[in-house]
Structure formats: structure tokens, C-alpha cells
Amino acid sequence: MPIVPIEIDAGLIARLLEEMSQHGSDGGTGVSRVAYSPEWSDAISTYRGWCETAGLESRLDAAGNVWARLEGTRTGPCVVTGSHTDTQVPGGRYDGTLGWLAGFVAVAALKEQFGAPIRSIEVVGFCEEEGSRFPGNFWGSRAITGAIRAGEADRIVGWDGMTVAQAMRHVDLDPSLLPSAERSDIDRFVELHIEQGPVLESEGLAIGIVDVITGMRHYLVTLQGTANHAGAFPMDLRRDPVVAMADVVQQLTTHVESLGRPAVTTIGRIEVTPNGGAIVADRVEFVIDVRHPEPSVFEGLCANVEETVQRCAGTRGLEYEWSVIADHEPTPSDPGMVADLLETMEQLGLPPRVMHSGAGHDAMQMAQRSNMAMIFVRSKDGRSHTPVEFSNTEDIVRGIEVLAQYLYRVCYD
Ligand code: HGY
Ligand code: MN
Ligand code: MN
């Protein structure tokens, strides 16, 4: 299908990103905006104001996902774009926020330049994706796909000690209404997102299309030792959980490095109790993040984690336990959507590049119910999950052009 001229206002997306970054800003380029926080509520209000100005009907669902809808002339399943509204702590200005605002800019441009589509289009801002306030992630997209189990909001205790349910009530959301956030009328979901890695930049490319999103699993591990004096208690009598954790880190790293790219394993959250400089620790709690895009390798990596924790704890006579707090299988994009997006890239004069996503995304949750694909925008130095993450406006506009052309292709024709 031929492309059509669609004007994307570079100044607008730049201004929106700048204004949105103020909600949770660290005064520099960093943003910390966790789900259901005051800065999160302010961000939603700002966004809904923009929707009103653009003449897009907006609403908040029972989970706190914010929707902007451009009504089509024909009833039936809709097409959705968007991304998440929350950030890591600290995070940057682009992870999630870019896809959320890019969807808004694309749909506002289509509305202004072509009027009502045939098929309705919605832009979603998922309330929580990062797991930066609560263990696990994809709370918003799990509400939309009906994957939240009864009572889960009361069972999940955030890193700040507040349950999801308490945090929801704090912003006047009623967790008992979560089932009403479920949608079954979404035909396809396309998410624009920063790549968060170095691949596009290393090849001098601005845009990529995702063919598979990596599998990812988070193990929350506790190793229980015996607190003792750091000086008087002999090494050969100790039950030191920090040393056992160091064994786990070393052995997992050696194994995952032996597999080469794109296998990754990360331990980035560690809590030592009582965390005293002259105390042999009593307990260590840490999260092991395991990822691979190929199902059988992913399963093997996870099995190795479980064997390694068991072995290292046993060697030092420690009790241990683990729970899986996030678990998402490798998720392929819809091949037809990938083909359409690649054709659109070629029509726009962009070298077509297919790639896997090493980051997890709401799109993997949405794929449980809808056809899915993702558009990646180059990340400077491949950095993300840090205040220095950056994508330049020119690349961002190219990404929005691909998104807008795709939405035109599937909703206006
Ligand atoms: O961890 C992830 O991949 C996502 O950014 N939350
Ligand atoms: Mn993200
Ligand atoms: Mn992220």
C-alpha cells in the first residue's frame, strides 16, 4: 500500500517530552515516576489536558491505564498504540514515556490531517510496567489482558512496604474494580520504544522493527546465614550469606558469558541484613534477572539459576528460598505486522532492520490477546535505565512517521 504525506511536528514531541519529564524530574535529565505516586498522578493529568486540547476523548481505567481514543466510522475491534507511564528509579525521559507520547502525536496528527479513521485507534499509557515500585511488572497491561488474579493487589507488597491495593486507593482507584479494565476488543497493538541497547547505533541506523521480545524471569532469592562478629568469629565456622551470594554471582556470570550474546543474567538489587561493616550478615535478599529470546536456551538458563543457588547455599550450609516474581516467555511479534512495518520503513527511505528486544515490554503482555509488533528508536550509546538515556528528535520523528504511516495503513484504508 502506498504511503501518504503525514506531517509530524518535531517541535511538538520535543516540547511534550520536556514537559512530561518535569513529573518526577531530578533537576537534571533523570526522572523517577513510579506508579500511583503524586508525580505519576500529575503526569496523567498533564497528558489528559493535552488530549482535551487535541480533541481526543481520554479516560482512566480501573487499573490507572490512561486511554485516548480516536473514534472510527466503523464499530468493531480497535488498533492500539502506546507504552508505559512509569519509570525506573532513577530512570530517564524516554523509556516508556516516548512510546506513550509518540502514540499521542501520531494519532493527533492523523486526526488533524485525515479526520476520523475507519477503525478506531487508541493510545494507551500503561500505569505500571517497570517493577520499580512493586515486585513483578506489567501491572497495567496485565489488567487489560485479564491476567491479574483475584486478591493479587492485596498480596503484592511494594519495595516501599505498601501493597498495590493500598497504593491504588491512595490515588482514588478501587482495586476491586480491576476486572473492569479487561479489554477484548483490541485487534492489534504496536508499541514505539527506545531500543535501550547499542545495536542500532553501532550500525548507524535510526529505526528497527522487533521480531521477538526476549523471555525474562526475576527470581527473588533469600540466603539465610548466621550473624556474627566480623573479627572474633573464625572463617571456617561461619555461615556467611554474602559469600554464598558472591559464589552465585560468579558461577552464573561464568555460565552466561560462556553462552555469548544475547544471553544475559543480572543481579542489580541486593539487600544485606543487618548491613553492618563489622557484622557477618544474617541474611541476603537479591533479585536475579535472567533473559534470552530463544525459548529452549531461556529455560536452560533458568534451570541453571535454580541449580546454582541450591549448590552455593548447600556448600556453605545455608537455608535458602526463592520465588519467581516476574516470568515472561520469549514473545514473537506478528509476522504480518512486521512485514507491513518493514515495507513502511522502505517506503520512507529507511533501511529495514529486524531485531530482537533484550528489554521486556508491555507488548509481550498485549500479545496474549492481540497481534503485536514494536518499533525501536536508536538509543545514544545504547544507554537506558539511567538518567543519561537519550534519543535525538530526528530519530524520534522518523519513528513516529513509521508509526503514523502504519496506523494510517491499518485504520484509514
Ligand atoms: O526490564 C525491562 O526490560 C523493562 O524495561 N522493564
Ligand atoms: Mn520500557
Ligand atoms: Mn524499562
Side-chain angles (χ1 to χ4, degrees), residues 243-262:
V243 175
M245 185 196 72
D247 294 342
V248 168
V249 174
Q250 185 54 57
Q251 292 180 32
L252 290 185
T253 303
T254 303
H255 176 72
V256 74
E257 286 176 341
S258 69
L259 298 178
R261 294 184 181 184

Side-chain angles (χ1 to χ4, degrees), residues 51 100 123 173 186 192 224 232 234 244 254 271 274 315 355 374-375:
C51 291
W100 175 28
V123 184
L173 291 169
I186 299 172
L192 182 145
Q224 182 60 54
T254 303
E271 276 186 34
T315 305
M355 58 196 294
M374 292 190 73
I375 301 166

Side-chain angles (χ1 to χ4, degrees), residues 84 88 95 129-131 137-138 193 196 214 216 218 289 291 357-361 384-385:
H84 55 95
Q88 285 288 344
D95 178 0
E129 185 271 356
E130 292 283 14
N137 35 21
F138 305 156
H193 202 286
Q196 302 183 289
T214 189
M216 64 183 277
H218 278 193
D289 176 311
R291 306 191 193 204
S357 170
H361 298 286
S384 182
H385 280 192

Side-chain angles (χ1 to χ4, degrees), residues 262-289:
V264 289
T265 300
T266 310
I267 293 171
R269 176 186 278 273
I270 301 172
E271 276 186 34
V272 180
T273 304
N275 204 25
I279 304 173
V280 175
D282 175 62
R283 188 180 75 252
V284 174
E285 185 178 84
F286 55 103
V287 173
I288 303 175
D289 176 311

